[in-house]
Amino acid sequence: MMHEDQPWPGTWRTIAYQLLTLPVRIVEFVVLLVLLVAGIATTIVWVGIPLLMLATTLTHRFADFERRSLRRWLRTPLPDAIRNRGDGPVRNWFAQLTDATTWRDLAYLLITTPLAIVEFVLGVVSAIIVPLALTVAPGVGWLHGKLALTLLGPPRAERLEAKATRLQASRARGVDAAENERRRIERDLHDGAQQRLVSVAMTVGRAKAKIGGTEPDTAELQKLLDEAHTDAKLAVSELRDLARGIYPAVLGDRGLDAALSALAAKSPVPVSVSVDIDQRPPAAVESTTYFVVGETLTNAAKYADASDIRVDVRRDGDTVIAEVTDDGHGGAEIRPGGGLAGLADRAATIDGVVSVVSPAGGPTVVRAELPCSW
């Protein structure tokens, strides 16, 4: 699933993109320009038709290559293009000529070639002057991504329709997640604290019956009261754990850094925590981040056979990024009904995305991208 907005790209990935794409852009520009000029000039004698058909095909190939490069280097959320098709080479060509995607692809390829020269110079200077790299280069990459979204992305109407569909699906998943959470709380109350409180009531009742006798057995009364006291303390502890599972007090009082550090301290596997957020995000984002990290730590400790876990939470523009990396044996994936699928459902309630990269042999990286507005 992709967001429709351009995220803030990484500094060195942006510089690498600026340095590597100039030769490719020059080749694309020269090839297309030669084919277009030659094709238009010789159309009257029919020789230009095959040249223009080749130019159209190469325009699509070059634009698709640019989409993949932008996704990789600038993290631009560009879906694959959907183009009109026709039966046979000629009809297919005419269908592509009437498709706005073809002309937008061509416009991007022609416009960005002179821009690539400027970006290349900026990339060279940024690679030498670090302050410029940290301040200017990512901004230029962000602007390039916005231009690519405008020309290479789907039309605005399609983007809005896709966003509405995604939001509708995420809300439905959120309702299901909330219902599952309600059932879990109900089950925990029934199987835990409720049973303890029933036991306390029964024990106190037995003690009252002993007191009502002619000769109360002090030792037996003491035993019953101790038993009731123990059950009452266990009930309070279970209720406290249940409340912490709904919204931990340390998260509300002290924020993510303290709450995640508390989780790390309880983990049987060594966990390093890094939280780099200059101001507190909204409560919904904080709680989602907390539970994503908490569940991932639990899974890593139980199933991954990990010896080291890293938690990295940072702000990236208007998005909170939470990454949990472990050095376990890998093989994790999001399966329907599984724990990771539950995390994805929880993140979807705020239009967030959870992704998992876990090759065989590890490492495993669980990444949550949670949009928010400060």
Side-chain angles (χ1 to χ4, degrees), residues 47-276:
V47 177
I49 299 297
L51 295 178
L52 292 177
M53 293 174 68
L54 178 59
T56 303
T57 300
L58 289 178
T59 296
H60 293 163
R61 297 289 177 84
F62 292 159
D64 290 341
F65 172 79
E66 291 291 336
R67 288 183 176 90
R68 292 191 296 270
S69 298
L70 287 159
R71 286 197 294 260
R72 177 180 179 183
W73 294 102
L74 300 185
R75 298 170 51 212
T76 304
L78 284 169
D80 294 331
I82 300 176
R83 301 186 176 93
N84 295 339
R85 301 292 181 186
D87 297 329
V90 176
R91 289 185 177 180
N92 186 54
W93 181 52
F94 279 120
Q96 292 172 349
L97 288 180
T98 58
D99 188 353
T101 302
T102 299
W103 299 103
R104 294 165 69 213
D105 288 350
L106 180 61
Y108 176 85
L109 294 171
L110 297 180
I111 290 173
T112 54
T113 299
L115 290 178
I117 300 174
V118 178
E119 291 177 343
F120 179 82
V121 174
L122 178 62
V124 172
V125 176
S126 298
I128 300 172
I129 305 174
V130 176
L132 188 66
L134 298 176
T135 56
V136 178
V140 173
W142 182 82
L143 289 173
H144 190 114
K146 294 291 285 186
L147 174 65
L149 278 174
T150 301
L151 294 177
L152 297 182
R156 178 175 174 80
E158 291 184 14
R159 294 203 303 271
L160 292 176
E161 182 179 357
K163 181 178 180 180
T165 302
R166 186 176 68 249
L167 287 175
Q168 185 177 6
S170 69
R171 296 301 178 266
R173 293 166 65 189
V175 170
D176 291 340
E179 178 63 18
N180 291 333
E181 185 73 4
R182 184 192 66 79
R183 290 177 180 175
R184 181 191 68 82
I185 293 172
E186 185 179 69
R187 183 177 62 252
D188 290 347
L189 282 172
H190 181 271
D191 297 340
Q194 180 176 319
Q195 297 296 328
R196 298 289 183 189
L197 293 174
V198 169
S199 177
V200 170
M202 292 177 64
T203 305
V204 171
R206 290 165 58 195
K208 287 177 64 178
K210 293 288 184 181
I211 294 174
T214 56
E215 295 183 2
D217 187 343
T218 306
E220 182 68 18
L221 284 174
Q222 184 65 42
K223 180 181 177 181
L224 291 173
L225 290 175
D226 289 342
E227 183 180 337
H229 184 235
T230 300
D231 284 339
K233 289 195 298 183
L234 288 173
V236 170
S237 177
E238 290 175 355
L239 288 172
R240 185 182 297 115
D241 291 340
L242 183 61
R244 187 180 296 114
I246 298 173
Y247 192 86
V250 65
L251 179 61
D253 296 340
R254 301 172 57 192
L256 272 174
D257 198 352
L260 296 182
S261 297
L263 281 178
K266 297 176 182 177
S267 173
V269 180
V271 179
S272 60
V273 177
S274 172
V275 178
D276 184 15

Side-chain angles (χ1 to χ4, degrees), residues 264-317:
K266 297 176 182 177
S267 173
V269 180
V271 179
S272 60
V273 177
S274 172
V275 178
D276 184 15
I277 300 179
D278 52 1
Q279 66 184 96
R280 294 186 64 171
V285 176
E286 271 194 338
S287 62
T288 302
T289 303
Y290 176 85
F291 286 110
V292 167
V293 172
E295 182 68 20
T296 305
L297 290 180
T298 301
N299 290 340
K302 284 184 177 179
Y303 309 116
D305 194 23
S307 59
D308 180 71
I309 304 175
R310 298 193 312 275
V311 176
D312 177 31
V313 180
R314 63 187 182 276
R315 177 179 176 177
D316 188 356

